[in-house]
Amino acid sequence: QAQLVESGGGSVQAGGSLRLSCTASGLSFNLICMTWFRQAPGKERQVVATIDTSGSSTNYADSVLGRFTIARDNAKSTLYLQMDSLKPEDTAMYYCAAHPWSVCYMTWAWNHYPHRGQGTQVTVSS
C-alpha cells in the first residue's frame, strides 16, 4: 500500500530554518515526480515546489523562491524541503504529493495527485 509520511515540522522564529522530509513506501520512488503543497488556515492549498523524477528539474512558487529548496534522495525514497529565512506568512500545514509521471507541473491541483500525505505543521512567529 502506497504511503507518504511527512515529518520535520515545528515552531520557529522568523528568520529561522526548518527541513521537512517526506518518506515514501509502497511506491517506485524513482518513477514519481513530487510536489510540496501548503495550506494556511482559511486559505486554499497552494503549490510550494515541484521536482522531477531525477531531481534535476525544480520549480518554486514566487513566494518561496530563493528561500526554499526542494530535493530528493531516490536511494532513501525521501523528499525534502529546506526552508530558510522563514516568515510568519509561511505558517501552514505542509503536505507532500506524488504522481507517476516524470514531471509534476505547478498548475496541477492537489486532487490531481493519486498519492498524498497527511501533512506536518509549520509555525513561524514574529
Side-chain angles (χ1 to χ4, degrees):
Q1 182 178 356
Q3 190 174 21
L4 298 175
V5 178
E6 301 94 336
S7 61
S11 297
V12 296
Q13 290 191 326
S17 298
L18 282 174
R19 189 177 79 155
L20 305 184
S21 298
C22 169
T23 301
S25 58
L27 292 168
S28 297
F29 192 76
N30 61 331
L31 298 180
I32 54 174
C33 63
M34 302 289 296
T35 296
W36 283 103
F37 286 85
R38 69 184 181 185
Q39 186 169 22
K43 295 188 177 182
E44 293 186 354
R45 201 181 318 246
Q46 62 176 185
V47 175
V48 175
T50 67
I51 189 166
D52 70 346
T53 52
S54 69
S56 61
S57 178
T58 59
N59 289 283
Y60 297 90
D62 288 344
S63 58
V64 306
L65 188 63
R67 301 188 297 120
F68 290 11
T69 303
I70 188 171
R72 64 191 294 161
D73 185 336
N74 285 353
K76 295 182 178 179
S77 296
T78 301
L79 172 74
Y80 302 100
L81 185 67
Q82 177 67 40
M83 304 187 295
D84 299 318
S85 302
L86 282 162
K87 304 175 181 180
E89 51 263 43
D90 294 319
T91 295
M93 186 73 79
Y94 284 72
Y95 303 86
C96 62
H99 195 287
W101 195 248
S102 57
V103 176
C104 289
Y105 294 96
M106 295 289 285
T107 54
W108 284 359
W110 174 250
N111 290 337
H112 188 76
Y113 291 81
H115 310 294
R116 296 170 281 184
Q118 295 300 308
T120 186
Q121 178 68 38
V122 172
T123 302
V124 184
S125 58
S126 58

